[in-house]
Amino acid sequence: MNKDPQLCPLRGRDRELAVLSERLAALAGGRGSTVVVTGAPGTGKSRLLLEAERLSRPYGLRVLRVSGEPDAAVMPGEGLLRALLAGPEPVLDAARARALATRPDHRYWLLQEVQEGLERVAARRPVLLLVDDLQWCDDLTMLALRALPGRLAGVAITWLFAGRPGDDNAGYTETRARLEASGATTVRLDRLDDDAAAQMARDVLGDEASLAVLALVGGAGNNPLLISELLSGIRGEGRTDLPARFGTLVGRRLGRLTPDGRAVLEVAAVLSRRIDVPFLGAVLRRPPATLVTPLREAQVEDLVHTDEQDLVFRHDLIREAVRATVPAAVSRAIRREAADLAAEFGHSPAEVAALLTDSAEPGDEEAVATLRRAAAELALGAPSRAADLSRRALALTAEYSPAHRAITVETIRLLWLAGRAAEATALGHTLLVDGIDSATEASARLGLAAASSQYSFAEAVLQCEIAVGSAALPLAGRAQALALMGVNLTMMGDFDRADEVLGRALAAAAAAGDDGARAVGLASSSVSALYHHRWQQAVELADEAVALSRTVRSDQILWGAVQWRSWLDSLGGRPDRALQSAAEGMRTAQHDGQAWLVRQWSLDRCRLLYDAGRLADAQAEAEGVLAMADELGAGNYADCTALTIAARVALHTGDLAAAHRYDAEAERMRTDRAPLVRRAGAWLGVLVAVAHSRSPARIRELLVQGAAAIGSVGPALGTPVDPADDVTFVRIAVAIGEPDWAERAVTVAEKRAAANPGFPFLAATADHARGLLAGDSDRISDAIEIYRQFPRSLPLAAALEDLAATTGEQSRPALEEALSLYESTGAIRDAARVRSALRKVGVRWRGTRSSSRPGDRWSLLTATEAAVVEKVAAGATNRQVATAMFLSPHTVSTHLRHAFSKLDINSRVELARLFAQRT
Amino acid sequence: MNHPKPTVVLVLGAFTDASSFARIVPELLDAGIPVLAPPVSLRSLVRDAAAAATATIPGDRSA
């Protein structure tokens, strides 16, 4: 009658199973979803996943299994890759996946590859992706698992995660928060109810389940694992007076092993959950053949079982209980020795490091060396884990030694790569800034500068200063450090120092014959020229920098001259030209496989699309690139472009809640170390405050920084400058009763326009600003005439509105034109404002162009959305669409999400059906 | 008495999808009855009938 509890039906989880059945059936119909199962160890999470798999069989779904391993010794991404490379039709091509591991932007490309693979597989057959022990998945797997469900929304995949409720590691906490934020359903497994617990007892013991047993089961706190352990004990020992404590129960089983079996299992438990038999033999110094008997005993006692080909502890709590019987000092000694053997065994440094992190003692130089090697190896794929290992190496090294300094620098760099900016900066401050004495450290500082320059301009300047200050830095390194320092100084807003540094950079680059550094120096000089109101010179310098950078190998480009050149087009009123270069640049970056450059172009495109008045496209680009923060990090540059534009688009479209959210994020800009970033943050705050009708005092407080900066070199408001912002500034300054500020802004705009006759767009904004301040309709009309030569509808529409406000009766045609411009850009909130002005001059009603027959939701799509949808409906994957349209795949997935919500559908299957009905 | 158990094939009709089966599938499985619910695209009768007819369950290891 007695049965193994493992083979018994699942009890007390009917509600949870109903949720899963419903999701699986929906998945069979093409609609995916995300479910997170949490519960303390032993509540039956893994068992629930097994049930889900059983319930999925009738539908013929493709099932993929990922599971985390507690010993963290795996290579980055291994958890995920093992699942994706398995089976007769693997999701990923093994050779391709291996090739990706060696690329510098490893994480980015791997995620692309995985996303593409899953899309392809799910298009043929819905996918059930089971992830057990999420809390133990490696960094890279975790990264993919938190990013992909959102990016693959609409694809027929159901993500079923199981993990512990605790938050012992940051990556896990973030992953759960992200999954929850993107709409995952959480299923919490609690203790069983009494009926279910009694039912379990009857399942195992049959009718023999006496009252005494039921009382014992009740004492087990109704934890299913403990109950099943208890029942096995009762069955095995034939007595019912067992203690309801897990460790004791496991201890009793251990006691039934022979001394040899017990010793072997204890060492195995100290090493890992998954038992590597040859390695265990090596640690025990005995041939693997002699392990057969003791391991079989453990299997008979059901302490370990086989999982695929491996021997594994049946539950991690069992392993923990066995390990707890070994004194900590002994356990450490075993792991330390195992680390040496692992190296001889050809295990990767990462695996060796995992054994070392908790076993090595301070001063263990060999351990330190291994940890550093492992950190270096993991730097690209799993920088966060690499940084942890490096920190561990640091902790084992004597302070004030040269090695300690070197490891500190390495650790800081890894922290930057991992996007852990605060830790990186804090650790940086523990280093004395003076006294670099080695070429290695100087070069390391240069690497630090390059790593931090996308994230913190101020930090990059500091690191360049330190590198340049060292006599040990070689000439080429000096040229690069100076050039990079110049770039970051211009981004910070310190133009006096930038000019001085750039002079030295160009001289050093010439002396070293380093064209890469020279191109960067020239491009930064162009930035400086622009902000000194010498636009023509800025263009010439940028052209020279572009020509030069074409002769440099693409992986040696430190900063994009080509990008800056395209910015100049847009600032001068020609975002259309800038977008052409961006398309070209994106194509090259995709072709060369340079992820940071793809991201860089994507960041730039946010602003270029906004300047071009393509609000929906700008929004999609911004959301897409903000999502890339997962694999490529966020920072100053992204804040000044993508975050700012996302907020500004929201203001135009009237999504004030979103604008408010982005503005809250922009708080970090307002406290940044770089003045330009602070000002850009404050300016964004002003725009959002105005939209929320905050008090003039509050607006003044935010605007005062920008007002003070007007007339000095460099952008006073957003970064890079937008001449059209000056007009907005004047409007706000007048409204809050600061005419002096407005007057100063107009004077500066006029001076800039006069100094640059070759850039008529500047004259338009100057005329517009002056006309607005003086209530001079002729000046505004002049501005309008010039604006008409440029493809920037939003400033033109604003000027038409301002003209209407000064002309009274004849305002109607201007308002109507403004309305039509706002409608064509998607600026719904501005359009509403103009419509209300039109009503005041007697125009009662005017239909919008988007109101077409009801049910025709297709007309709501923008041109880009329609193009994306058409390709996806025809079966293309996001990446194929991205390649065809010169977009990043993230942007494609954002467009698709927007289109889905407009079409009111949730899955690609529905899209295909809808599309088929339409044509 | 030892008749082999029949396999239940669930085929959905127009205006529905497989989510209609969410409750019946677990019950049948718990009763030990093999179940198949092949995907049907609802594009055309001929195509859907052919799809249902050739439905096999890849990866099925039903014990």
Side-chain angles (χ1 to χ4, degrees):
Chain A
M1 268 283 101
N2 286 4
K3 285 186 12 196
D4 182 340
Q6 299 291 305
L7 301 173
C8 292
L10 182 62
R11 296 295 179 188
R13 299 295 187 215
D14 295 347
R15 203 173 43 79
E16 291 80 0
L17 282 174
V19 172
L20 295 181
S21 302
E22 186 247 316
R23 295 312 173 88
L24 289 169
L27 175 63
R31 202 158 62 244
S33 56
T34 308
V35 179
V36 181
V37 179
T38 69
T43 44
K45 298 182 293 295
S46 306
R47 181 65 200 274
L48 199 64
L49 259 48
L50 271 176
E51 285 297 309
E53 194 178 341
R54 185 179 74 98
L55 290 172
S56 78
R57 288 210 188 118
Y59 303 115
L61 308 172
R62 173 81 187 261
V63 180
L64 299 170
R65 295 173 206 83
V66 177
S67 64
E69 284 292 330
D71 304 293
V74 291
M75 286 307 290
E78 185 169 315
L80 188 64
L81 290 179
R82 204 185 296 167
L84 300 184
L85 296 173
E89 300 166 72
V91 177
L92 284 186
D93 179 69
R96 258 185 98 106
R98 256 198 307 281
L100 284 174
T102 59
R103 302 189 65 135
D105 303 320
H106 176 88
R107 290 193 287 176
Y108 176 84
W109 298 109
L110 186 71
L111 244 66
Q112 299 271 299
E113 203 68 27
V114 170
Q115 179 175 343
E116 164 91 1
L118 286 172
E119 267 183 80
R120 264 189 296 105
V121 171
R124 285 200 298 272
R125 194 140 53 100
V127 172
L128 172 61
L129 206 147
L130 302 167
V131 182
D132 200 2
D133 288 324
L134 177 62
Q135 75 278 358
W136 289 323
C137 283
D138 62 273
D139 275 4
L140 187 53
T141 297
M142 197 89 88
L143 170 78
L145 293 176
R146 69 170 165 259
L148 293 178
R151 289 180 196 170
L152 290 170
V155 177
I157 301 178
T158 286
W159 306 77
L160 179 52
F161 297 97
R164 295 190 173 175
D167 51 355
D168 42 354
N169 83 62
Y172 176 53
T173 313
E174 195 196 330
T175 302
R176 277 184 51 201
R178 277 276 296 279
L179 291 172
E180 221 154 283
S182 61
T185 308
T186 303
V187 170
R188 283 190 186 77
L189 292 185
D190 214 336
R191 54 202 297 261
L192 295 177
D193 62 31
D194 289 345
D195 285 351
Q199 190 59 254
M200 266 186 86
R202 277 192 290 275
D203 288 339
V204 178
L205 303 172
D207 299 329
E208 294 155 44
S210 63
L211 282 175
V213 168
L214 293 181
L216 201 55
V217 164
N222 288 2
N223 173 303
L225 179 71
L226 184 45
I227 294 175
S228 113
E229 212 53 42
L230 201 52
L231 294 170
S232 302
I234 293 170
R235 197 167 59 121
E237 300 189 19
R239 51 196 281 191
T240 55
D241 56 343
L242 294 176
R245 284 189 30 237
F246 192 80
T248 320
L249 288 166
V250 173
R252 291 175 85 96
R253 286 194 192 203
L254 215 46
R256 290 198 287 270
L257 302 180
T258 59
D260 185 45
R262 183 178 174 137
V264 167
L265 201 64
E266 282 174 346
V267 174
V270 165
L271 293 177
S272 59
R273 175 156 90 140
R274 206 164 273 275
I275 301 172
D276 176 344
V277 177
F279 185 59
L280 178 62
V283 173
L284 291 163
R285 308 213 181 290
R286 50 196 276 186
T290 67
L291 296 176
V292 174
T293 313
L295 287 174
R296 184 171 296 143
E297 274 179 45
Q299 240 176 311
V300 169
E301 271 308 321
D302 208 20
L303 291 162
V304 299
H305 68 172
T306 48
D307 165 25
E308 286 157 32
Q309 283 102 29
D310 297 342
L311 266 185
V312 185
F313 279 92
R314 189 163 52 73
H315 195 281
D316 198 60
L317 289 181
I318 292 179
R319 180 207 168 189
E320 284 305 322
V322 175
R323 182 157 69 168
T325 62
V326 182
V330 177
S331 176
R332 256 205 315 281
I334 296 174
R335 287 176 69 79
R336 182 63 190 87
E337 200 193 334
D340 288 342
L341 286 168
E344 287 169 28
F345 245 69
H347 289 188
S348 72
E351 289 171 286
V352 181
L355 287 164
L356 282 174
T357 44
D358 56 0
S359 67
E361 307 279 346
D364 185 339
E365 282 177 28
E366 220 182 304
V368 169
T370 308
L371 288 167
R372 288 171 77 176
R373 259 203 314 281
E377 188 179 85
L378 291 171
L380 296 174
S384 196
R385 168 109 183 104
D388 290 340
L389 295 181
S390 194
R391 286 211 106 141
R392 187 68 200 136
L394 195 58
L396 298 176
T397 309
E399 276 184 61
Y400 310 112
S401 65
H404 193 272
R405 292 186 64 92
I407 301 172
T408 307
V409 174
E410 284 167 18
T411 311
I412 298 172
R413 182 168 156 270
L414 292 168
L415 287 167
W416 277 116
L417 288 177
R420 287 154 69 176
E423 280 174 80
T425 319
L427 189 59
H429 293 167
T430 68
L431 271 186
L432 295 172
V433 272
D434 51 2
I436 292 192
D437 45 8
S438 76
T440 337
E441 188 177 340
S443 303
R445 293 292 187 146
L446 178 58
L448 251 182
S452 58
S453 64
Q454 282 206 28
Y455 307 108
S456 168
F457 305 144
E459 186 67 27
V461 167
L462 182 67
Q463 296 303 335
C464 287
E465 271 170 353
I466 297 171
V468 169
S470 159
L473 189 69
L475 192 57
R478 175 171 309 278
Q480 287 171 19
L482 284 165
L484 209 52
M485 185 154 128
V487 175
N488 283 288
L489 281 167
T490 62
M491 307 286 252
M492 276 186 80
D494 190 344
F495 290 93
D496 288 346
R497 270 190 77 203
D499 288 346
E500 183 256 330
V501 167
L502 287 170
R504 285 162 61 201
L506 289 172
D514 186 330
D515 283 350
R518 238 183 103 209
V520 175
L522 286 169
S524 315
S525 304
S526 164
V527 178
S528 174
L530 180 94
Y531 288 128
H532 284 95
H533 295 181
R534 297 192 298 265
W535 286 47
Q536 188 52 43
Q537 192 195 5
V539 170
E540 284 158 14
L541 283 166
D543 282 340
E544 203 182 330
V546 169
L548 203 56
S549 73
R550 294 207 194 284
T551 67
V552 180
R553 254 183 42 203
S554 65
D555 58 348
Q556 291 180 352
I557 292 175
L558 292 165
W559 190 70
V562 183
Q563 283 154 290
W564 172 247
R565 181 66 188 82
S566 75
W567 274 100
L568 285 175
D569 277 331
S570 200
L571 303 187
R574 295 304 303 261
D576 52 332
R577 280 190 201 148
L579 283 166
Q580 272 170 21
S581 333
E584 176 68 26
M586 185 71 95
R587 186 164 49 208
T588 316
Q590 276 174 348
H591 180 262
D592 295 354
Q594 284 194 291
W596 74 271
L597 211 50
V598 170
R599 175 172 181 273
Q600 200 70 23
W601 276 116
S602 210
L603 289 170
D604 290 343
R605 273 172 56 96
C606 297
R607 170 68 185 273
L608 303 180
L609 287 164
Y610 174 83
D611 284 356
R614 288 165 58 184
L615 297 184
D617 289 343
Q619 185 195 358
E621 192 82 42
E623 284 176 20
V625 73
L626 289 173
M628 261 196 263
D630 274 330
E631 55 267 48
L632 300 171
N636 284 167
Y637 197 86
D639 286 347
C640 290
T641 49
L643 182 63
T644 304
I645 291 306
R648 294 192 71 160
V649 170
L651 290 176
H652 286 292
T653 57
D655 188 350
L656 295 189
H660 183 76
R661 217 168 43 240
Y662 291 127
D663 184 45
E665 264 188 72
E667 193 54 40
R668 63 169 173 259
M669 299 171 74
R670 295 189 273 270
T671 54
D672 198 86
R673 279 183 282 164
L676 285 201
V677 176
R678 285 203 300 274
R679 281 183 223 155
W683 177 234
L684 182 58
V686 168
L687 296 172
V688 175
V690 169
H692 282 100
S693 312
R694 299 268 185 253
S695 71
R698 170 78 187 124
I699 296 170
R700 184 178 301 110
E701 196 185 310
L702 284 161
L703 197 58
V704 69
Q705 260 194 61
I710 280 179
S712 64
V713 181
L717 309 170
T719 294
V721 70
D722 178 1
D725 272 352
D726 294 346
V727 180
T728 312
F729 177 87
V730 169
R731 189 176 297 115
I732 296 170
V734 170
I736 62 167
E738 293 288 356
D740 292 351
W741 292 2
E743 178 58 42
R744 197 155 71 235
V746 173
T747 312
V748 171
E750 285 176 339
K751 206 175 99 193
R752 184 179 56 201
N756 295 288
F759 295 82
F761 187 74
L762 298 176
T765 57
D767 280 341
H768 186 179
R770 173 60 74 195
L772 176 65
L773 182 62
D776 179 345
S777 58
D778 289 346
R779 291 295 286 271
I780 301 182
S781 297
D782 290 349
I784 290 174
E785 285 324 300
I786 309 174
Y787 277 142
R788 287 190 195 285
Q789 301 160 26
F790 294 96
R792 289 207 54 183
S793 350
L794 290 172
L796 171 59
L800 288 162
E801 256 190 288
D802 291 332
L803 179 67
T806 56
T807 50
E809 283 138 45
Q810 304 118 40
S811 63
R812 191 172 159 172
L815 285 175
E816 285 186 331
E817 190 184 351
L819 178 58
S820 123
L821 284 167
Y822 283 136
E823 280 179 346
S824 68
T825 57
I828 299 166
R829 185 162 157 267
D830 303 278
R833 186 179 60 237
V834 175
R835 240 183 251 120
S836 118
L838 273 167
R839 272 197 298 277
K840 281 186 192 126
V841 297
V843 182
R844 291 240 168 266
W845 184 86
R846 193 173 162 283
T848 64
R849 291 180 307 159
S850 57
S851 74
S852 41
R853 63 198 156 85
D856 185 12
R857 298 178 159 275
W858 294 100
S859 64
L860 299 175
L861 302 187
T862 67
T864 316
E865 285 162 2
V868 168
V869 157
E870 187 174 339
K871 290 191 169 59
V872 169
T877 62
N878 285 5
R879 185 163 70 183
Q880 288 163 342
V881 179
T883 314
M885 296 179 66
F886 309 124
L887 296 171
S888 92
H890 302 79
T891 310
V892 170
S893 112
T894 319
H895 280 301
L896 203 56
R897 230 179 21 250
H898 292 170
F900 273 26
S901 98
K902 288 178 182 175
L903 296 171
D904 196 22
I905 53 175
N906 293 308
S907 69
R908 291 189 184 204
V909 174
E910 289 169 89
L911 175 68
R913 207 175 291 160
L914 207 60
F915 199 80
Q917 284 163 8
R918 177 201 184 203
T919 45
Chain B
M1 276 307 275
N2 261 347
H3 293 299
K5 278 194 175 140
T7 296
V8 174
V9 181
L10 303 167
V11 182
L12 52 91
F15 310 114
T16 60
D17 62 28
S19 55
S20 331
F21 303 144
R23 282 170 52 198
I24 188 78
V25 165
E27 281 185 39
L28 290 169
L29 286 176
D30 285 348
I33 297 171
V35 184
L36 293 181
V40 175
S41 66
L42 294 176
R43 294 288 171 74
S44 77
L45 184 60
V46 176
R47 211 168 123 186
D48 292 350
T54 57
T56 53
I57 302 303
D60 184 31
R61 288 159 299 172
S62 47

